[in-house]
Amino acid sequence: MQPNTLLDALLDEAGISHAGLAARVNHAGRARGLALRYEHTAVARWLKGQRPRGQVPDLICEVLADRLRRPVTLGDIGLAVPGEPPPALGTPLSGFVERATALWRSDEQQRRHLLQAPAVTGTPAVMPVWEWENPPEDADVSRAGQTRVSMSDIKMLRAARAHYELMYRRAGGVATRSRIVGFLNAETAPLLRGGYSDALGRQLHRATGGLVAVAGICAYDSDAHGLAQRYFHQALRLAKASGDRGLGAYVIALLVNQALFMAEYRQAVAFAEAALRGAGREITPALAADLHAMQAKAYAHLGDGSSALRCIRRAELEAERISPGTEPDETGYVQPGLVNVQVAEALLSLGDLPAAREHAAVAVDAPAHDRGRVHRLAMLSQIELRQGEAERAACTAAEMAERARGMESQRLRDRLRAVRRHLAASGCTDAEEAAELIDGALRVPL
């Protein structure tokens, strides 16, 4: 089940509590001859994604329409399709905008059912990618809203994306998440609901898509995987509306990375293929290199060595073609050494320690922001331990722990904990000291 953010947003707008909605539904039911005895706990279940039975969805519409003094449909309250989350592309773009902004609103209010929702699997996970890749395209994305959107607004959104991405790299997703969600609600939502031409609207959707993708990254970094996935799906729909196939491929790369984390390796391979195929000539060398490298990791986990090595070669060839001045802002994360650390992880899974060590060392020697360097040092430390070099691994781990100071990130904490487990098993004195440094970094709660 997926949280019903539309119903949540309408209840908030109407100023009705959970108990208030239950009482009003019971009262409206009596007018239809129904003996209903709903309480606030039932409303909480509806907001978590449970569909109420019988005529109750219609009664909810009736109650909210009376309170808001406007028509309210089943689609408006997120109950148009029984048993399934509403598709991102199956609704008109205007309907998508309302669903997207409702999610942002619920996220800013820190609704627990939204933050704790698991990522969807199966068809609901695959359909947004399929719909991005296939027709129909959006023929006209113009909108006749009251607030006129200008080019300066779009420049603001682009600047905000760069600002929050840098904040994420320096401070982590846990610290950045509330800031970017607040910006989406206060600044971005009114623009999406505003007035703009088709040409300006495509630029607006592209800028918003890049910003929403960063919100998804921050949610992923905060262990809110269902929420992160919904943000990525939103960003993919916005990329579709913008007509920028490269942006869509970048968003799918984020979904590939999440699939790898969740051990959905076959899905990671399929999504990467869809991104490479769907973007066509608009794929950049940096993004292609990262997609091939992530495919290599997925194949390695599946035990398909030949396919992993083939993807490694493709990733390395694409990496050689990267020209930093010609890449879009979103692919700036593909810095020197990134492909090497991805390849090192794939080779480690395949059991080729010498080759993995070589790539990890190259990655550590390459320039990188602190967040990226923590991941690279963690990989090198793990390989050094596997090769029996406990003292060297402890030195690498100590530098990793120092680099991680000041960052609020669940993913980096995962890395620190994994390295600490390996260090503790080595029995080396230096390893014990490095483990204590990691314990100090983990002691402060996020």
Side-chain angles (χ1 to χ4, degrees):
M1 292 190 298
Q2 283 288 289
N4 191 335
T5 53
L6 287 175
L7 179 57
D8 196 12
L10 284 177
L11 282 181
D12 189 65
E13 181 184 352
I16 300 178
S17 67
H18 294 186
L21 178 63
R24 286 172 171 83
V25 166
N26 292 340
H27 180 76
R30 282 195 291 274
R32 298 190 185 189
L34 302 175
L36 303 178
R37 294 182 177 84
Y38 286 112
E39 298 181 350
H40 66 94
T41 52
V43 178
R45 291 195 298 272
W46 301 342
L47 294 176
K48 289 179 181 178
Q50 184 185 89
R51 182 181 174 83
R53 298 177 180 178
Q55 300 178 47
V56 175
D58 295 314
L59 294 174
I60 295 172
C61 289
E62 181 182 316
V63 168
L64 289 172
D66 181 66
R67 182 76 172 212
L68 296 169
R69 298 187 178 183
R70 69 171 187 262
V72 175
T73 67
L74 291 175
D76 293 332
I77 63 171
L79 295 174
V81 183
E84 294 182 8
L89 194 59
T91 54
L93 194 55
S94 59
F96 163 78
V97 167
E98 296 309 316
R99 293 181 188 281
T101 53
L103 178 74
W104 306 345
R105 184 176 185 176
S106 294
D107 190 8
E108 186 174 30
Q109 294 170 343
Q110 297 184 334
R111 303 292 192 185
R112 288 185 62 189
H113 64 271
L114 181 65
L115 298 174
Q116 297 174 357
V120 297
T121 58
T123 301
V126 173
M127 281 304 292
V129 176
W130 186 89
E131 290 170 335
W132 167 78
E133 188 179 3
N134 293 281
E137 306 297 327
D138 291 287
D140 185 357
V141 302
S142 63
R143 188 172 173 125
Q146 292 185 350
T147 303
R148 296 304 302 176
V149 177
S150 68
M151 197 63 213
S152 65
D153 294 320
I154 293 169
K155 289 178 180 178
M156 175 188 68
L157 295 181
R158 291 171 180 167
R161 192 212 68 81
H163 173 79
Y164 291 118
E165 182 184 58
L166 184 59
M167 185 183 296
Y168 157 77
R169 288 179 175 178
R170 289 177 175 172
V174 175
T176 307
R177 213 174 73 74
S178 62
R179 300 286 295 277
I180 192 169
V181 172
F183 181 89
L184 286 172
N185 278 288
E187 305 294 340
T188 312
L191 295 177
L192 278 184
R193 295 195 188 102
Y196 38 84
S197 66
D198 177 64
L200 195 64
R202 292 190 185 277
Q203 294 188 65
L204 173 63
H205 286 84
R206 199 228 176 274
T208 303
L211 191 61
V212 169
V214 177
I217 292 169
C218 291
Y220 166 81
D221 203 41
S222 304
D223 259 350
H225 287 285
L227 181 59
Q229 187 185 53
R230 295 183 77 172
Y231 273 120
F232 293 150
H233 289 168
Q234 284 186 4
L236 199 55
R237 180 65 182 97
L238 289 161
K240 177 93 170 181
S242 77
D244 188 327
R245 305 297 289 181
L247 177 63
Y250 157 73
V251 175
I252 294 178
L254 299 176
L255 286 166
V256 172
N257 183 64
Q258 186 181 37
L260 286 171
F261 177 80
M262 296 190 300
E264 296 281 352
Y265 301 122
R266 296 190 185 282
Q267 182 171 286
V269 170
F271 280 3
E273 284 293 338
L276 292 162
R277 181 175 60 242
R281 294 182 179 180
E282 292 186 38
I283 197 84
T284 65
L287 187 54
D290 189 37
L291 286 165
H292 285 306
M294 287 192 290
Q295 275 191 316
K297 290 200 296 185
Y299 277 124
H301 281 291
L302 291 168
D304 188 344
S306 60
S307 294
L309 293 174
R310 184 178 68 252
C311 290
I312 287 172
R313 286 192 292 271
R314 289 177 178 173
E316 291 173 338
L317 288 173
E318 292 291 349
E320 292 174 0
R321 297 177 52 233
I322 295 175
S323 178
T326 62
E327 290 282 337
D329 292 340
E330 285 82 9
T331 57
Y333 73 96
V334 187
Q335 297 182 327
L338 175 76
V339 171
N340 293 100
V341 76
Q342 300 270 46
V343 168
E345 187 173 343
L347 292 169
L348 182 61
S349 296
L350 294 174
D352 189 346
L353 294 179
R357 168 73 171 272
E358 182 180 348
H359 279 278
V362 170
V364 168
D365 288 341
H369 53 78
D370 280 349
R371 181 188 180 85
R373 187 163 297 281
V374 171
H375 284 294
R376 297 177 189 195
L377 289 166
M379 177 55 58
L380 180 58
S381 176
Q382 184 178 350
I383 295 169
E384 288 170 340
L385 278 171
R386 289 277 294 271
Q387 290 186 312
E389 300 181 23
E391 292 183 0
R392 186 183 293 273
C395 182
T396 303
E399 182 183 353
M400 175 202 67
E402 182 62 30
R403 292 278 186 177
R405 288 166 62 93
M407 295 185 192
E408 296 190 356
S409 162
Q410 292 291 359
R411 295 288 72 75
L412 290 186
R413 290 203 158 201
D414 289 343
R415 281 290 202 181
L416 291 173
R417 292 189 186 100
V419 171
R420 196 210 178 285
R421 284 196 302 271
H422 294 132
L423 287 171
S426 71
C428 167
T429 302
D430 290 344
E432 292 177 3
E433 294 177 358
E436 289 178 5
L437 285 175
I438 293 173
D439 286 340
L442 295 174
R443 198 165 287 126
V444 180
L446 298 183

